[in-house]
Amino acid sequence: MDHSRLLDTASTILDSVAAEFVAGLGAPSAIAKGPTDFATQVDLDLERRIAGELTDRTQIPVHGEEFGGPPVTEGPVWVLDPVDGTYNYSTGVPLAGILLGLLVDGDPMLGLTWLPLLGRRYAGHVDGPLLVDGEPVPPLSPIDLQTSVIAYGPFNERAKGRYPGARRADVIRALSSRVARLRMTGSTGVDMAYTAAGIFGGAIAFGRHAWDNAAGAALVRAAGGVATDLAGAPWTAASPSLVCAAPGLHAELMTVIEDVVGDEWASQPPGADRPENSGGRR
């Protein structure tokens, strides 16, 4: 694959919808997914438009958050989140963006995170470099936990599942005394793009969806950082979580997590989340 050509094509498509994204700020819920989880009409409209253009221009299929698509672990496939940070977006908080990743057999090859409300564009393929607003930036340098900002995924302390809320609270409590600052932005895309750019030292996301994580994993690797799951395995579309960080800091971050939860998060329990393969709203 010509990664540079695909990156240019995808960038042009995302540029073409940026104004529509900005104009939709504050859009209300159009489809409820849960008590505080929903899609706006902007999500639906942008996914249709972006997916259609990507398919036509690259001949590579698209798997989107709202309408599904082909398996994310087989062959080349774009994965798209048309509005990441939807709750922020709907309430007028500008920490929201468009996430687009290219997976090949589940491995992230390209990542694009467009933050139109902040006027920032992050793009890159795994061979680097990271591009910020179209300009290459130097690779990440090794840093330590004590002087870094770490982004943390939002959670409900009472929630159960693979990563119970109470244990997430234990981890954030341990981190609070070992890092310079903690941040909870409400947008996986922002967290990972900022990690790739060196604004954050690292970020932890507990979600499994490829459309949330693929772009960020690719961007961090393009920048010379490390992208794994919470058990320390290299991130793929089958991974149940995402931990990204600068060199050196990632190992420190994993040590804190292991000190708190041991090997609780290392194995796949019965009935645990599986990678999405198809479906969605048609």
Side-chain angles (χ1 to χ4, degrees):
M1 287 185 175
D2 186 337
H3 289 159
S4 295
R5 180 184 62 81
L6 289 170
L7 201 62
D8 287 344
T9 299
S11 296
T12 300
I13 293 171
L14 296 193
D15 283 344
S16 73
V17 302
E20 184 177 346
F21 186 98
V22 172
L25 181 65
S29 169
I31 296 177
K33 302 179 184 180
T36 59
D37 187 16
F38 55 87
T40 70
Q41 191 61 47
V42 178
D43 291 80
L44 306 178
D45 293 344
L46 287 187
E47 183 165 319
R48 289 190 186 100
R49 181 175 167 186
I50 295 168
E53 291 195 35
L54 276 170
T55 302
D56 289 344
R57 296 179 61 178
T58 70
Q59 305 304 304
I60 297 173
V62 178
H63 186 116
E65 177 176 5
E66 308 307 330
F67 297 103
V72 298
T73 54
E74 299 176 13
V77 59
W78 295 104
V79 285
L80 170 65
D81 187 346
V83 181
D84 175 67
T86 304
Y87 201 89
N88 286 351
Y89 185 74
S90 186
T91 55
V93 177
L95 297 175
I98 306 169
L99 310 184
L100 181 63
L102 179 66
L103 298 167
V104 177
D105 295 329
D107 290 323
M109 296 290 109
L110 273 70
L112 300 95
T113 296
W114 257 229
L115 306 178
L117 298 168
L118 302 177
R120 281 287 178 266
R121 302 177 301 155
Y122 301 89
H125 53 76
V126 290
D127 296 325
L130 175 70
L131 305 175
V132 179
D133 296 336
E135 297 297 326
V137 297
L140 294 170
S141 299
I143 53 176
D144 59 55
L145 199 57
Q146 188 175 9
T147 59
S148 298
V149 178
I150 301 299
Y152 205 76
F155 65 96
N156 176 352
E157 192 272 341
R158 296 183 179 179
K160 305 302 181 183
R162 179 179 177 85
Y163 305 116
R167 298 302 269 155
R168 300 188 200 188
D170 291 339
V171 171
I172 199 171
R173 192 158 36 242
L175 285 171
S176 69
S177 62
R178 305 190 200 187
V179 303
R181 292 291 186 274
L182 286 164
R183 293 290 182 262
M184 191 177 289
T185 70
S187 166
T188 300
V190 169
D191 292 347
M192 301 305 165
Y194 278 14
T195 297
I199 299 169
F200 293 161
I204 299 173
F206 295 94
R208 65 178 176 86
H209 296 300
W211 58 71
D212 287 326
N213 296 334
L219 290 176
V220 169
R221 288 178 182 171
V226 182
T228 71
D229 63 15
L230 277 159
W235 188 88
T236 74
S239 298
S241 53
L242 177 61
V243 181
C244 286
L249 188 146
H250 186 275
E252 285 191 72
L253 197 54
M254 293 304 301
T255 296
V256 175
I257 294 168
E258 291 163 8
D259 285 347
V260 175
V261 302
D263 62 357
E264 288 178 36
W265 293 350
S267 60
Q268 187 82 0
D273 293 340
R274 299 291 188 267
E276 62 282 342
N277 284 316
S278 61
R281 286 176 291 279
R282 294 292 179 183

